[in-house]
Amino acid sequence: MKRFQIAFRGFWVVGCLAMLAIVSLGLTGCSDEEAIEVDLSKRETLVPPRQVKAITYAYLPQYSHTISYQRHRQLLEYLRNATGLPLRQIFPDTFDEHIKMVERGEIDISYSNPFVYIRLAEVGATAFAGIVEPSGHPDFQGQIICRKDNPDLNTIADCRGRRWIAVDPESAGGFLFPLGLFYDNNITVSDFETVDFAPGPGGKQEKVVLAVHAGAFDIGTIRKGTLDVVAGKINLDDIRVLAETRLYPGWVYAARKGLDPEVVHAISHAMFSLNYGRESDQDILSSAGMHGIIPVRDSDYDPVRELVGKLGLDQ
């Protein structure tokens, strides 16, 4: 047995040596003709590919970042393909941050409510497109909501002395428009027990509805259409629309100060080419909560400026 083990080990060693010899022959088997000579005196400068700066596009954060992305993903993809421009969606956390980023040139294309737009116009932004709402009209309105089972809230006058939660001080449908409605009914901010704004970044419209649904506040103010967005989160039968504001100019696309006019022209042309009657375009527009995109001028938003002046918010 011992002799067999020694013989086996000897065979294994011989085999290994044979394999090493074969490998060695393979490594040294290249002929001179196959060798590649490298002339190190000749060098070529490599130029890195040109980095094209992205054109930033931001949706005012009335809803969560996830919803903002989902709503405008298809529209951004369409605009990239139609214009060849490197558009990139970014996500400010608050209304105020959105405004400051446009002013600093960090947002090239702003999609905002008309109240925020008139602030942006003051720092040089220019309106170039507006949307047609799902209703088929280029305007929208705010709503005052409460719990359906609250027997003490039936009219606007009943809102006096109540706890009010609004979307944001810069929100049009979620604060400014309802504030104008209260003003027309001789109700001022001081007539409420408390006036609070939805906390945290993004998703403020949803937070207002959820806060009213939970009974944390008596009334809430939102833009019309928000209840459809939160339909899967609560039972909408628990919520009642107490009142609606008048119609005001709708959401607006604005270009920051100094943005190349050719870029604005290319984007606006692609936007205006969308047709709700075409099935492919209908999917893009519906996902974004629109029925169409149309040309607008700065003066179209004068009714919002008049409301701001009436309420003394321009001081």
Side-chain angles (χ1 to χ4, degrees):
M1 184 68 177
K2 222 180 227 186
R3 186 178 300 171
F4 174 78
Q5 289 176 345
I6 292 171
F8 177 78
R9 287 174 185 165
F11 175 77
W12 182 81
V13 170
V14 171
C16 288
L17 290 173
M19 288 297 294
L20 287 171
I22 293 170
V23 172
S24 178
L25 285 171
L27 292 174
T28 59
C30 298
S31 65
D32 291 341
E33 288 75 21
E34 293 175 313
I36 299 174
E37 293 185 4
V38 178
D39 186 352
L40 296 177
S41 66
K42 295 180 180 180
R43 299 182 181 182
E44 183 178 350
T45 302
L46 296 177
V47 179
R50 180 171 172 265
Q51 296 295 317
V52 179
K53 183 182 177 183
I55 296 166
T56 52
Y57 172 111
Y59 180 178
L60 190 73
Q62 63 168 346
Y63 299 122
S64 67
H65 294 340
T66 300
I67 290 178
S68 295
Y69 169 76
Q70 291 173 343
R71 280 193 154 202
H72 286 230
R73 176 182 58 81
Q74 292 186 63
L75 178 58
L76 262 292
E77 185 177 350
Y78 161 77
L79 291 175
R80 290 188 201 102
N81 293 332
T83 65
L85 295 170
L87 285 146
R88 177 170 62 90
Q89 187 175 4
I90 59 176
F91 304 90
D93 283 333
T94 66
F95 285 41
D96 190 54
E97 183 182 2
H98 184 107
I99 294 168
K100 290 177 180 176
M101 289 178 72
V102 174
E103 185 173 5
R104 293 195 299 260
E106 296 168 7
I107 294 174
D108 296 314
I109 302 296
S110 162
Y111 177 59
S112 74
N113 70 45
F115 186 25
V116 166
Y117 166 67
I118 63 174
R119 291 272 309 276
L120 298 178
E122 293 171 0
V123 296
T126 305
F128 67 88
I131 73 161
V132 178
E133 293 281 330
S135 63
H137 301 286
D139 40 33
F140 77 112
Q141 58 198 138
Q143 294 179 319
I144 303 171
I145 62 171
C146 64
R147 279 195 61 90
K148 190 174 183 178
D149 57 7
N150 189 332
D152 298 324
L153 287 169
N154 298 292
T155 67
I156 295 177
D158 295 333
C159 293
R160 280 192 178 89
R162 306 295 177 178
R163 298 164 299 162
W164 172 18
I165 181 168
V167 172
D168 187 276
E170 303 288 350
S171 176
F175 179 63
L176 178 66
F177 298 169
L179 186 62
L181 181 59
F182 285 132
Y183 179 92
D184 292 340
N185 284 271
N186 299 312
I187 300 174
T188 65
V189 169
S190 61
D191 290 322
F192 294 93
E193 179 181 334
T194 60
V195 178
D196 290 272
F197 296 98
K204 290 176 175 285
Q205 295 274 353
E206 300 113 300
K207 289 174 183 176
V208 169
V209 180
L210 296 175
V212 171
H213 184 265
F217 292 87
D218 301 308
I219 62 168
T221 49
I222 55 175
R223 71 154 284 156
K224 188 172 183 177
T226 295
L227 293 177
D228 296 332
V229 176
V230 299
K233 297 181 180 179
I234 62 169
N235 184 354
L236 291 183
D237 290 338
D238 296 335
I239 297 294
R240 175 158 45 94
V241 176
L242 186 64
E244 293 184 338
T245 73
R246 54 157 283 191
L247 293 167
Y248 287 93
W251 277 53
V252 54
Y253 280 102
R256 66 161 173 82
K257 181 179 180 180
L259 185 62
D260 187 345
E262 292 186 7
V263 169
V264 179
H265 174 75
I267 292 173
S268 59
H269 178 74
M271 286 179 167
F272 303 152
S273 297
L274 286 166
N275 185 337
Y276 198 82
R278 284 195 295 265
E279 186 175 347
S280 58
D281 292 357
Q282 186 177 127
D283 192 37
I284 293 169
L285 291 166
S286 295
S287 295
M290 310 171 184
H291 199 277
I293 304 178
I294 57 176
V296 297
R297 298 174 298 177
D298 176 81
S299 59
D300 293 334
Y301 299 90
D302 285 346
V304 180
R305 292 186 172 99
E306 293 168 6
L307 176 59
V308 168
K310 180 174 75 171
L311 297 174
L313 299 177
D314 57 350
Q315 299 175 357

XYZ file of all heavy atoms in Angstrom, residues 76-118:
360
model
N -41.875 64.737 -19.745
C -40.438 65.021 -19.894
C -39.813 64.141 -20.972
O -39.001 64.613 -21.776
C -39.731 64.799 -18.556
C -39.462 66.022 -17.681
C -38.427 66.932 -18.311
C -40.737 66.783 -17.397
N -40.200 62.873 -21.002
C -39.664 61.960 -22.017
C -40.071 62.425 -23.407
O -39.264 62.412 -24.353
C -40.166 60.543 -21.758
C -39.577 59.502 -22.688
C -40.054 58.087 -22.350
O -40.679 57.898 -21.289
O -39.781 57.192 -23.169
N -41.313 62.848 -23.550
C -41.796 63.369 -24.836
C -41.010 64.612 -25.250
O -40.579 64.736 -26.407
C -43.288 63.699 -24.740
C -43.762 64.638 -25.822
C -43.980 64.182 -27.128
C -43.961 65.998 -25.550
C -44.388 65.049 -28.131
C -44.374 66.876 -26.546
C -44.586 66.403 -27.839
O -44.977 67.262 -28.834
N -40.803 65.548 -24.319
C -40.094 66.786 -24.638
C -38.640 66.513 -25.027
O -38.099 67.160 -25.926
C -40.156 67.751 -23.451
C -41.536 68.351 -23.135
C -41.482 69.184 -21.861
C -42.042 69.188 -24.304
N -38.006 65.571 -24.349
C -36.628 65.211 -24.715
C -36.573 64.695 -26.154
O -35.699 65.076 -26.939
C -36.085 64.139 -23.766
C -35.813 64.614 -22.357
C -35.094 63.534 -21.543
N -35.260 63.760 -20.125
C -36.106 63.093 -19.337
N -36.844 62.121 -19.847
N -36.196 63.364 -18.060
N -37.487 63.797 -26.486
C -37.500 63.207 -27.825
C -37.879 64.232 -28.891
O -37.325 64.226 -29.997
C -38.471 62.022 -27.881
C -38.019 60.852 -27.033
O -36.825 60.666 -26.807
N -38.955 60.057 -26.542
N -38.813 65.115 -28.573
C -39.308 66.080 -29.561
C -38.327 67.218 -29.809
O -38.268 67.756 -30.924
C -40.653 66.648 -29.103
N -37.550 67.586 -28.793
C -36.656 68.742 -28.922
C -35.176 68.359 -29.034
O -34.366 69.157 -29.497
C -36.799 69.676 -27.710
O -36.345 68.998 -26.516
C -38.240 70.109 -27.520
N -34.837 67.166 -28.572
C -33.434 66.775 -28.517
C -32.677 67.441 -27.392
O -31.450 67.335 -27.303
N -33.387 68.118 -26.504
C -32.757 68.835 -25.392
C -32.613 67.924 -24.173
O -33.492 67.097 -23.907
C -33.588 70.066 -25.014
C -33.679 71.160 -26.085
C -34.721 72.200 -25.690
C -32.324 71.821 -26.310
N -31.537 68.089 -23.401
C -31.308 67.244 -22.214
C -32.077 67.754 -20.990
O -31.500 68.311 -20.056
C -29.791 67.361 -22.008
C -29.460 68.740 -22.495
C -30.394 69.012 -23.645
N -33.387 67.569 -21.003
C -34.223 68.027 -19.889
C -34.122 67.077 -18.701
O -34.111 65.860 -18.871
C -35.680 68.126 -20.342
C -35.998 69.330 -21.234
C -37.056 68.986 -22.244
C -36.427 70.518 -20.392
N -34.064 67.658 -17.506
C -33.977 66.837 -16.286
C -34.911 67.423 -15.227
O -34.854 68.608 -14.916
C -32.539 66.819 -15.761
C -32.353 66.058 -14.452
C -30.868 65.877 -14.152
N -30.178 67.145 -13.975
C -30.047 67.768 -12.793
N -30.565 67.242 -11.697
N -29.389 68.907 -12.707
N -35.782 66.581 -14.681
C -36.707 67.046 -13.648
C -36.005 67.060 -12.292
O -35.347 66.102 -11.903
C -37.940 66.138 -13.581
C -39.020 66.675 -12.632
C -40.291 65.838 -12.646
O -40.351 64.809 -13.315
N -41.292 66.260 -11.921
N -36.145 68.183 -11.577
C -35.603 68.286 -10.228
C -36.750 68.583 -9.269
O -37.834 68.978 -9.683
C -34.494 69.351 -10.121
C -35.028 70.736 -10.521
C -33.314 68.971 -11.004
C -34.005 71.845 -10.338
N -36.496 68.417 -7.961
C -37.588 68.407 -6.993
C -37.310 69.303 -5.778
O -36.793 68.836 -4.763
C -37.849 66.971 -6.526
C -38.132 66.015 -7.655
C -37.100 65.323 -8.270
C -39.421 65.832 -8.116
C -37.345 64.450 -9.323
C -39.682 64.961 -9.165
C -38.650 64.267 -9.775
N -37.656 70.584 -5.856
C -37.550 71.439 -4.672
C -38.468 70.907 -3.571
O -39.512 70.313 -3.851
C -38.031 72.804 -5.173
C -37.920 72.733 -6.665
C -38.153 71.310 -7.035
N -38.084 71.130 -2.329
C -38.880 70.615 -1.209
C -40.053 71.511 -0.842
O -41.069 71.033 -0.334
C -37.994 70.421 0.021
C -37.130 69.172 -0.076
O -37.542 68.218 -0.766
O -36.048 69.149 0.525
N -39.918 72.818 -1.065
C -40.960 73.752 -0.641
C -41.244 74.769 -1.741
O -40.450 74.938 -2.676
C -40.540 74.525 0.629
O -39.417 75.369 0.313
C -40.158 73.565 1.751
N -42.362 75.464 -1.601
C -42.719 76.514 -2.550
C -41.642 77.601 -2.539
O -41.219 78.090 -3.585
C -44.069 77.126 -2.184
C -45.261 76.262 -2.506
C -45.245 74.896 -2.281
C -46.419 76.815 -3.014
C -46.347 74.099 -2.570
C -47.530 76.038 -3.306
C -47.496 74.672 -3.081
N -41.210 78.001 -1.350
C -40.226 79.068 -1.216
C -38.896 78.668 -1.855
O -38.241 79.479 -2.521
C -40.019 79.411 0.261
C -39.184 80.669 0.457
O -39.552 81.715 -0.124
O -38.172 80.611 1.181
N -38.498 77.407 -1.675
C -37.261 76.928 -2.285
C -37.369 76.954 -3.805
O -36.410 77.304 -4.505
C -36.942 75.509 -1.805
C -35.622 74.969 -2.343
C -35.342 73.544 -1.903
O -36.179 72.944 -1.199
O -34.276 73.021 -2.274
N -38.528 76.589 -4.327
C -38.756 76.629 -5.774
C -38.521 78.042 -6.304
O -37.817 78.238 -7.305
C -40.191 76.179 -6.067
C -40.527 76.092 -7.523
N -40.674 74.897 -8.189
C -40.775 77.053 -8.451
C -40.989 75.116 -9.459
N -41.045 76.436 -9.637
N -39.093 79.020 -5.633
C -38.953 80.419 -6.054
C -37.490 80.852 -6.038
O -36.984 81.461 -6.995
C -39.805 81.338 -5.152
C -41.298 81.035 -5.353
C -39.512 82.806 -5.442
C -42.205 81.662 -4.318
N -36.792 80.528 -4.963
C -35.386 80.933 -4.835
C -34.508 80.254 -5.875
O -33.548 80.848 -6.393
C -34.887 80.627 -3.427
C -35.491 81.531 -2.359
C -35.023 81.153 -0.969
C -35.632 82.079 0.084
N -35.262 81.672 1.471
N -34.819 78.996 -6.209
C -34.018 78.277 -7.203
C -34.205 78.866 -8.599
O -33.258 78.912 -9.390
C -34.373 76.790 -7.182
C -33.885 76.067 -5.938
S -34.356 74.311 -5.897
C -33.264 73.636 -7.166
N -35.411 79.330 -8.913
C -35.626 80.016 -10.191
C -34.830 81.320 -10.209
O -34.160 81.643 -11.202
C -37.127 80.302 -10.429
C -37.316 81.157 -11.686
C -37.915 78.998 -10.567
N -34.885 82.050 -9.125
C -34.167 83.327 -9.035
C -32.657 83.130 -9.183
O -31.975 83.937 -9.821
C -34.474 84.003 -7.700
C -33.883 85.394 -7.557
C -34.328 86.109 -6.301
O -35.031 85.480 -5.468
O -33.968 87.292 -6.148
N -32.121 82.036 -8.629
C -30.686 81.765 -8.717
C -30.285 81.109 -10.049
O -29.113 80.854 -10.281
C -30.249 80.842 -7.569
C -30.350 81.467 -6.186
C -29.579 80.644 -5.166
N -30.080 79.285 -5.039
C -30.895 78.857 -4.074
N -31.320 79.714 -3.148
N -31.283 77.591 -4.019
N -31.251 80.806 -10.891
C -30.952 80.178 -12.170
C -30.789 78.684 -12.099
O -30.305 78.063 -13.052
N -31.211 78.067 -10.994
C -31.067 76.623 -10.827
C -32.244 75.854 -11.417
O -32.163 74.652 -11.624
C -30.906 76.292 -9.341
C -29.627 76.880 -8.738
C -29.600 76.811 -7.227
O -30.519 76.175 -6.650
O -28.698 77.394 -6.616
N -33.349 76.544 -11.650
C -34.502 75.961 -12.347
C -34.679 76.755 -13.628
O -34.897 77.970 -13.586
C -35.784 76.025 -11.490
C -35.658 75.131 -10.256
C -36.998 75.612 -12.319
C -36.823 75.255 -9.288
N -34.582 76.077 -14.764
C -34.731 76.746 -16.056
C -36.196 76.888 -16.454
O -36.628 77.947 -16.891
C -33.979 75.959 -17.138
C -32.483 75.911 -16.892
O -31.904 76.965 -16.577
O -31.885 74.813 -16.999
N -36.943 75.796 -16.320
C -38.369 75.781 -16.670
C -39.169 75.493 -15.406
O -39.033 74.423 -14.808
C -38.671 74.706 -17.740
C -37.840 74.940 -19.003
C -40.161 74.680 -18.061
C -38.149 76.237 -19.734
N -39.993 76.446 -15.018
C -40.807 76.306 -13.809
C -42.253 76.033 -14.190
O -42.809 76.694 -15.072
C -40.732 77.595 -12.985
O -41.800 77.669 -12.055
N -42.833 75.062 -13.511
C -44.269 74.793 -13.661
C -44.895 75.087 -12.303
O -44.644 74.384 -11.327
C -44.494 73.338 -14.068
C -45.954 72.947 -14.188
C -46.805 73.608 -15.066
C -46.496 71.913 -13.416
C -48.137 73.254 -15.179
C -47.826 71.545 -13.531
C -48.640 72.221 -14.411
O -49.963 71.872 -14.521
N -45.674 76.159 -12.243
C -46.164 76.612 -10.939
C -47.587 77.143 -11.024
O -48.140 77.352 -12.109
C -45.254 77.722 -10.391
O -45.488 78.939 -11.091
N -48.140 77.387 -9.840
C -49.452 78.028 -9.791
C -49.299 79.516 -10.130
O -48.188 80.061 -10.091
C -50.116 77.805 -8.427
C -49.449 78.564 -7.299
O -49.108 79.735 -7.404
N -49.243 77.897 -6.170
N -50.398 80.210 -10.464
C -50.286 81.615 -10.885
C -49.834 82.560 -9.780
O -49.239 83.605 -10.064
C -51.702 81.948 -11.356
C -52.580 80.957 -10.665
C -51.777 79.699 -10.571
N -50.100 82.227 -8.508
C -49.660 83.058 -7.399
C -48.133 83.047 -7.318
O -47.488 84.093 -7.191
C -50.290 82.547 -6.104
C -50.029 83.403 -4.897
C -49.740 84.748 -5.008
C -50.091 82.850 -3.622
C -49.512 85.533 -3.879
C -49.866 83.619 -2.487
C -49.568 84.968 -2.620
N -47.543 81.862 -7.416
C -46.084 81.759 -7.404
C -45.508 82.414 -8.659
O -44.467 83.080 -8.609
C -45.642 80.286 -7.297
C -44.163 80.128 -7.637
C -45.911 79.758 -5.891
N -46.203 82.265 -9.792
C -45.673 82.864 -11.023
C -45.491 84.373 -10.908
O -44.467 84.921 -11.351
C -46.565 82.564 -12.236
C -46.178 83.467 -13.390
C -44.930 83.324 -14.004
C -46.999 84.525 -13.781
C -44.522 84.204 -15.000
C -46.598 85.402 -14.778
C -45.361 85.244 -15.380
O -44.944 86.123 -16.344
N -46.460 85.073 -10.320
C -46.304 86.531 -10.252
C -45.126 86.920 -9.363
O -44.536 87.995 -9.536
C -47.608 87.236 -9.803
C -48.007 86.836 -8.390
C -48.735 86.949 -10.787
C -49.217 87.619 -7.863
